[in-house]
Structures are given as C-alpha cells and as structure tokens.
Amino acid sequence: MNKLSTLAALACMTVGPLLATSASAQFAKPEDAVKYRQSALALIGSHFGRMAPVVKGQAPYDAAQIKANVDVLKTLSALPWAGFGPGTEGGDARPEIWSDAAGFKQKQQAFQDNIVKLSAAADAGDLDKLRAAFGDVGASCKACHDSYRKKK
C-alpha cells in the first residue's frame, strides 16, 4: 500500500503542474510561440495545397492520398492556437487577435468545423463534396487572414 501511495503522489506532482500551466507557459520565450504557430500554419498550408490540383481537376483524384492529407490536416488544425497566448504578439499576427479574442476564436472554430466537413467528404470519396468542403476550408482561412494577419 505504501508503494501505491508513493506512486500516486509522484504522479500528482508530475502531472499536476503540467495541467495548471496556461497555453503560453509552454513556451520558454514569446518568440518560441511565434515560431511554433508559424510552423504549424505552414504545415497546414502545405497539406492543404497538395490537394488543390486534384480539386481543380489538374491532377487525378486519388481518394487514399486525399484522405491521408485530410487526416494530417485534422491533427494540424488543433495545433497553432496554443501559440497565440497572452504576450505572444509578433510575427504576422495583427494586434486584433488579442483585442478581438472572441472574433478570433470564432474564426478559429469555423476553420476547425470546416476541417471536420472536409474529413467527412474525404471519407465519403465524393469528389464534388470534397471540392465544396475544400472551398469552405479555404474561405475560412481567408476570412481569418483578412482580419488577423498583417498584409505582406
């Protein structure tokens, strides 16, 4: 019983502080958060862009390849948001991300909802549904960029 109590105490001491930290606390420096979110968003762009020739009819439709990219996107779509915590201003992010946190969260949620729809279309194997869902994801990316990303 004593060993079990010791293991439970060690687990609480190890996991407890991790659960209590905020999203921005996981980065040693604000620049690390900026690099993290930029890297995650670049990967999202890469995997999304790989499907564009298929959606545009410029490449043959390979359902397995599309599904593989969408599965990666489902994972990636949850990642960048941890890099937008308090005190992580910078990069291409406009100050409105922090002054309009509710609007930013709404656009983030729309993007993630559209990724779910894209996943359903990929699972269905229907190219027309995939095209529509792909367009919705692209529109949600654009809406967020228009409002919260510095113009280049």
Side-chain angles (χ1 to χ4, degrees), residues 22-25 27 29-30 33 37 81-89 97-98 101:
S22 69
S24 61
F27 302 101
K29 300 178 283 188
R37 69 182 181 232
W81 320 115
F84 288 100
T88 63
E89 293 82 354
I97 287 174
W98 293 272

Side-chain angles (χ1 to χ4, degrees), residues 54 61-68 70 117-131 133:
V54 174
Y61 176 59
D62 180 339
Q65 190 175 44
I66 291 293
K67 181 147 177 36
V70 171
K117 292 175 188 174
L118 182 65
S119 179
D123 288 345
D126 183 325
L127 184 55
D128 289 332
K129 287 182 182 177
L130 181 78
R131 283 186 173 119

Side-chain angles (χ1 to χ4, degrees), residues 108-123:
Q108 169 190 330
Q109 189 61 53
F111 168 71
Q112 290 180 297
D113 291 346
N114 284 325
I115 290 288
V116 170
K117 292 175 188 174
L118 182 65
S119 179
D123 288 345

Side-chain angles (χ1 to χ4, degrees), residues 128-151:
D128 289 332
K129 287 182 182 177
L130 181 78
R131 283 186 173 119
F134 183 90
D136 290 344
V137 171
S140 61
C141 290
K142 182 180 180 338
C144 195
H145 288 191
D146 288 351
S147 298
Y148 301 109
R149 185 177 186 195
K150 292 178 183 173
K151 308 288 186 236

